[in-house]
């Protein structure tokens, strides 16, 4: 074999992959002329035609103005199984009758009341019952805002200003630690550690010691590729925070859907503060932060030095009333456990398909949220994903859409309560067909032929 054989082989693999992506992209563009037209017209009034980074992809995103049950319908009339599930906020699907009724009742009683209502107390009380680490809670408008408040509370409670977070974590638009961080990140004093890396992280916590206000961690990196934390890692964080007197914040904006009480209940670990978001607003903007009553008490307006917590829509009646019906009548503890088990079962099946295809393919995740990966070996942190070929994710995304399944471009699949067994089967069959269609390309990238 000549010295150039290996680089040449890699080049030709690359061009085969690129050709496949270009083909898939042009099939997508041909199928979706109306989405393309809408995208072009959106560019006149929004930079890049976009107001939410996660929804942009090349050549243009699908435009969706209608949805029902577990389905969305795009502007060109194609109907898809909604496996994106609004990045987990779409837990309830699109037309749950109890939620629709709650919306109608709320409208009928009048909105924008400028006063406390009973909805917020009912939802707060239910959240405190469901999530063991939450003794008292406050509402806000997004997961980003919830994290902003949790970090600020930690700073006030400890009178310290340093924070530990994890590479690849995402705690909101201004707390993005993917790919080295984002230019728009809020100016907090961060030290980043590697996810699931016990020794390095505990050493960092000890080193920061009396300057450390809090450690913030997602029990599963969601944006970072559905990588679950090990219990040993979270336990080590709990112990190290206790040793130095820092707070432990669990960002459960995504993972609160895991079982009845979120990941901290499953792991039986009690963080000091928990942040929530996404599905809990049942389709309306939602954020919440809660935890130890003693820490939350800093926000009690009856105390002279209390921290203010303003926000016109903190208790908006849609979120409060519909969110309450969602959590009390629809996402009951029982259904939460069933959905979790359903997700675990589906991921197992997808991993059997992946294993048959190539060592390069696997699905990571937890319960009803999962992500395909193109990386051999165990995946315990984003550092294990550095050499993933991004074009395979594009192929996967286009291919699933051709088969009538709408997932995230980053390969994330989120299940909803509106899905049934046939929908789970459709996901499984679509993944099987994708792997079959591109098996040779995937295997050649893995060096398996
Ligand atoms: C773990 C996590 N935290 C926080 C957020 C931010 O939530 P929001 O988009 O509601 O601001 C997200 C959103 O994806 C998230 O995944």
């Amino acid at each position: 074999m000549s010295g150039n054989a290996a680089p040449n082989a890699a080049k030709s693999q690359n061009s085969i992959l690129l050709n496949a992506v270009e083909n898939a992209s042009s099939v997508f563009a041909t199928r979706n002329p109306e989405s393309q037209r809408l995208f072009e017209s959106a560019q006149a009034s929004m930079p890049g035609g976009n107001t939410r980074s996660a929804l942009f992809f090349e050549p243009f995103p699908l435009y969706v103005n209608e949805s029902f049950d577990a389905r969305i319908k795009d502007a060109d009339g194609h109907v898809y199984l909604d496996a994106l599930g609004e990045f987990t906020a779409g837990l309830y699907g699109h037309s749950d009758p109890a939620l629709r009724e709650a919306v109608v009742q709320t409208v009928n009683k009048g909105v924008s009341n400028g006063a406390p209502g009973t909805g917020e107390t009912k939802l707060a009380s239910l959240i405190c019952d469901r999530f063991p680490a939450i003794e008292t809670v406050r509402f806000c408008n997004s997961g980003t805002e919830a994290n902003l408040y949790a970090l600020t509370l930690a700073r006030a409670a400890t009178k310290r200003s340093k924070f530990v977070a994890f590479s690849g974590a995402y705690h909101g638009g201004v707390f993005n630690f993917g790919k080295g961080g984002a230019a728009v990140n809020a100016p907090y004093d961060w030290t980043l550690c590697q996810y699931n890396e016990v020794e390095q992280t505990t050493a960092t916590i000890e080193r920061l010691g009396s300057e450390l206000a809090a450690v913030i961690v997602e029990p599963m990196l969601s944006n970072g590729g559905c990588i679950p934390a090990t219990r040993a890692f979270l336990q080590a964080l709990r112990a190290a925070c206790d040793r130095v007197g820092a707070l432990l914040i669990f960002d459960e904006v995504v993972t609160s859907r895991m079982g009845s009480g979120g990941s901290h209940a499953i792991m039986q670990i009690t963080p000091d503060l928990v942040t929530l978001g996404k599905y809990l607003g049942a389709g309306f903007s939602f954020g919440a932060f809660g935890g130890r009553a003693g820490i939350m008490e800093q926000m009690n307006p009856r105390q002279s030095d209390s921290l203010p917590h303003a926000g016109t829509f903190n208790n908006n009646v849609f979120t409060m009333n519909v969110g309450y019906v969602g959590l009390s009548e629809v996402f009951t503890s029982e259904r939460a456990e069933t959905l979790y088990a359903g997700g675990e079962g589906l991921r197992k099946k997808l991993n059997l398909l992946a294993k048959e295809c190539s060592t390069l393919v696997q699905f990571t995740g937890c319960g009803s949220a999962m992500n395909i990966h193109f990386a051999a070996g165990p995946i315990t942190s984003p550092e294990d994903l550095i050499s993933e070929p991004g074009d395979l994710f594009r192929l996967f995304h286009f291919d699933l859409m051709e088969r009538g399944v709408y997932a995230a471009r980053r390969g994330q699949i989120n299940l909803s309560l509106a899905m049934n067994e046939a929908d789970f089967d459709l996901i499984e069959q679509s993944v099987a067909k994708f792997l079959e269609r591109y098996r040779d390309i995937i295997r050649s990238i893995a060096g398996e032929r």
Side-chain angles (χ1 to χ4, degrees):
M1 199 191 270
S2 89
N4 282 337
N8 284 344
K11 247 192 211 160
S12 90
Q13 271 163 25
N14 244 346
S15 69
I16 293 170
L17 176 56
L18 274 182
N19 276 343
V21 173
E22 268 165 34
N23 283 342
S25 177
S26 81
V27 168
F28 172 83
T30 310
R31 261 170 64 86
N32 294 293
E34 184 58 11
S35 277
Q36 182 164 22
R37 194 189 67 73
L38 292 171
F39 175 61
E40 275 156 18
S41 77
Q43 293 180 54
S45 47
M46 290 180 283
N50 178 266
T51 191
R52 187 175 166 198
S53 308
L55 298 184
F56 175 76
F57 59 81
E58 295 286 6
F60 52 84
L62 273 188
Y63 275 68
V64 175
N65 291 315
E66 268 180 73
S67 55
F68 56 94
D69 303 329
R71 299 282 184 288
I72 55 164
K73 187 174 179 187
D74 73 17
D76 289 277
H78 311 116
V79 173
Y80 303 83
L81 175 67
D82 181 7
L84 176 77
E86 186 55 306
F87 293 95
T88 74
L91 174 88
Y92 294 112
H94 301 287
S95 31
D96 185 275
L99 301 182
R100 288 163 79 117
E101 179 55 27
V103 174
V104 172
Q105 284 200 14
T106 300
V107 173
N108 286 346
K109 285 195 168 167
V111 302
S112 301
N113 301 330
T118 47
E120 66 212 59
T121 313
K122 281 157 74 180
L123 183 56
S125 157
L126 186 53
I127 284 176
C128 294
D129 286 349
R130 274 284 275 269
F131 299 101
I134 302 186
E135 293 171 0
T136 59
V137 69
R138 280 290 182 98
F139 297 114
C140 52
N141 296 282
S142 68
T144 306
E145 210 187 325
N147 284 320
L148 188 70
Y149 274 115
L151 295 166
T152 306
L153 269 177
R155 197 156 61 182
T158 60
K159 306 207 171 13
R160 303 170 178 183
S161 59
K162 293 188 190 272
F163 294 95
V164 163
F166 296 91
S167 305
Y170 180 82
H171 300 292
V174 294
F175 302 117
N176 181 353
F177 302 107
K179 300 191 174 78
V184 296
N185 273 0
Y188 281 71
D189 188 348
W190 297 108
T191 300
L192 294 186
C193 292
Q194 185 172 331
Y195 197 68
N196 274 326
E197 182 52 61
V198 173
E199 270 180 37
Q200 180 219 23
T201 309
T202 44
T204 304
I205 293 172
E206 307 275 356
R207 179 172 56 75
L208 294 171
S210 61
E211 291 180 288
L212 184 65
V215 173
I216 183 166
V217 64
E218 294 168 80
M220 174 190 77
L221 289 180
S222 172
N223 212 30
C226 289
I227 304 175
T230 63
R231 181 157 191 269
F233 173 63
L234 297 176
Q235 269 179 324
L237 297 185
R238 179 65 281 174
C241 283
D242 287 345
R243 281 198 298 278
V244 303
L247 301 190
L248 180 61
I249 304 171
F250 273 16
D251 176 345
E252 295 237 38
V253 166
V254 166
T255 56
S256 65
R257 61 158 46 206
M258 304 306 170
S260 169
S263 286
H264 70 274
I266 293 176
M267 297 277 192
Q268 296 183 310
I269 294 173
T270 310
D272 301 291
L273 292 172
V274 178
T275 56
L276 305 172
K278 304 276 190 198
Y279 74 91
L280 282 156
F284 295 93
S285 297
F286 180 85
F289 53 99
R292 272 167 46 201
I295 300 171
M296 295 297 292
E297 201 54 18
Q298 294 175 103
M299 291 198 146
N300 181 345
R302 289 187 141 170
Q303 294 192 4
S304 57
D305 55 350
S306 71
L307 294 173
H309 172 219
T312 304
F313 287 101
N314 285 354
N315 68 335
N316 91 76
V317 289
F318 286 110
T319 305
M320 298 299 122
N321 296 346
V322 187
Y324 173 73
V325 170
L327 195 60
S328 58
E329 293 179 26
V330 189
F331 195 49
T332 54
S333 293
E334 204 177 28
R335 285 191 83 187
E337 300 297 354
T338 307
L339 185 69
Y340 183 85
E344 289 287 299
L346 178 61
R347 197 177 73 252
K348 263 193 201 126
K349 289 182 182 170
L350 298 183
N351 267 325
L352 288 178
L353 296 171
K355 206 168 171 191
E356 265 171 36
C357 173
S358 163
T359 54
L360 201 68
V361 189
Q362 56 180 304
F363 283 80
T364 58
C366 182
S368 55
M370 58 203 80
N371 212 113
I372 194 168
H373 285 292
F374 303 100
I379 299 173
T380 59
S381 77
E383 282 74 1
D384 296 320
L385 302 174
I386 282 165
S387 48
E388 271 189 303
D391 284 325
L392 282 178
F393 288 95
R394 300 182 65 202
L395 261 193
F396 182 63
H397 186 227
F398 285 131
D399 194 72
L400 285 198
M401 280 193 283
E402 252 181 87
R403 301 183 193 287
V405 177
Y406 182 69
R409 167 133 295 188
R410 62 177 188 241
Q412 190 177 357
I413 289 173
N414 302 306
L415 307 181
S416 77
L417 294 172
M419 288 181 181
N420 55 28
E421 278 304 319
D423 296 327
F424 283 19
D425 289 348
L426 176 61
I427 294 174
E428 192 186 342
Q429 284 156 18
S430 303
V431 168
K433 286 180 184 152
F434 160 77
L435 293 174
E436 196 181 309
R437 182 175 184 183
Y438 294 111
R439 176 179 292 132
D440 289 348
I441 294 183
I442 295 169
R443 286 186 178 169
S444 78
I445 293 171
E448 289 166 345
R449 57 166 219 138

